[in-house]
Amino acid sequence: MRMRRHDRTARTVQALLPALLLTLLTLLACTTRASGAPPPTPGAPIPSVPALARTWPVGSHPLVLRGWEPPATVYARGHRGVDLATPAGAQVRAVAAGRVSFAGRVAGRGVVSVELAGTDLRTTYEPVTATVKKGDEVEPGDPVGTVEITGSHCPTTCVHWGLLRGKTYLDPLALLPPWLLNRGPSRLLPVLAAPAFQGRGELRAQPPPAAQTKLNPEPLAKPYSPQPR
């Protein structure tokens, strides 16, 4: 009797063993994927970026030669930043307050990286000859270097501006608030009314010449002529 009961128990364990092994392998696979932290799959929501920039890295509203093109995977092709057209020797500025985390050369190119204050973000600028050193505190608009004449992948001289959260690349243009991102070049407006001085230093707006004439002048009176009877 005991032998029969032992045989049934052994058969039950053998039947459940494949299911237990499959569950264990699934748990191990999930743990490995979580620790590896792969990039988000295409279509996944992009982490939000605070619009805390107060200036462009170069110029007042530079031409974007190539925008941000997020890669599908870590090693896939893409464009991990934006290219801003600018002449060689132009000043490169910090877009927001932070601390310089790197200032040196990588693969022959000058690179400056700034950790943005109060965030887990950092910006990168290249190819740049650094005028700051690691550990320097910077404020928005502070110069961090000058544009190098060589080292860029653009058809003309440019600055590659990058943004990272950890090892994840993000769109640096998201740092710019709308008033800075959409601001166009300045233009002069026509003067519609010139001020005229009045007594005691008061100013009075003078209407344009066209407004000084009547739009619908009254017709002149016709001479009187008696009507025939």
Side-chain angles (χ1 to χ4, degrees):
M1 188 72 178
R2 291 181 179 177
M3 292 295 295
R4 291 180 182 176
R5 192 174 299 173
H6 178 74
D7 291 342
R8 280 201 301 271
T9 303
R11 285 196 296 270
T12 302
V13 171
Q14 290 178 356
L16 293 176
L17 187 59
L20 292 173
L21 289 175
L22 181 60
T23 303
L24 181 60
L25 290 174
T26 303
L27 291 174
L28 288 175
C30 292
T31 304
T32 303
R33 283 197 295 268
S35 61
T41 55
I46 299 174
S48 60
V49 175
L52 47 79
R54 292 298 174 262
T55 182
W56 286 83
V58 291
S60 59
H61 199 296
L63 176 66
V64 178
L65 299 175
R66 185 178 179 185
W68 181 62
E69 301 169 9
T73 63
V74 174
Y75 302 106
R77 297 184 62 181
H79 194 234
R80 296 163 172 82
V82 295
D83 293 336
L84 306 177
T86 186
Q91 190 179 79
V92 181
R93 303 182 295 267
V95 298
R99 181 191 298 269
V100 177
S101 59
F102 180 83
R105 306 198 72 79
V106 177
R109 296 190 306 274
V111 179
V112 174
S113 181
V114 177
E115 295 177 349
L116 303 184
T119 73
D120 56 352
L121 302 170
R122 71 180 187 275
T123 56
T124 59
Y125 313 93
E126 58 178 291
V128 172
T129 300
T131 56
V132 291
K133 62 182 184 298
K134 183 178 178 180
D136 286 351
E137 301 279 350
V138 293
E139 295 295 328
D142 284 353
V144 297
T146 55
V147 180
E148 295 180 348
I149 193 171
T150 60
S152 72
H153 51 254
C154 304
T156 182
T157 53
C158 71
V159 164
H160 180 82
W161 179 27
L163 176 66
L164 296 96
R165 174 179 282 127
K167 295 184 178 180
T168 303
Y169 288 87
L170 303 171
D171 184 5
L173 294 181
L175 288 172
L176 299 172
W179 64 267
L180 189 58
L181 180 62
N182 302 322
R183 183 177 64 187
S186 302
R187 60 189 180 91
L188 295 175
L189 296 176
V191 178
L192 298 179
F197 281 97
Q198 204 169 340
R200 297 182 182 179
E202 297 178 356
L203 288 176
R204 178 175 56 85
Q206 206 169 26
Q212 296 178 359
T213 59
K214 293 185 178 180
L215 298 178
N216 297 313
E218 296 179 1
L220 298 175
K222 294 181 180 180
Y224 173 76
S225 59
Q227 298 296 328
R229 293 182 180 179

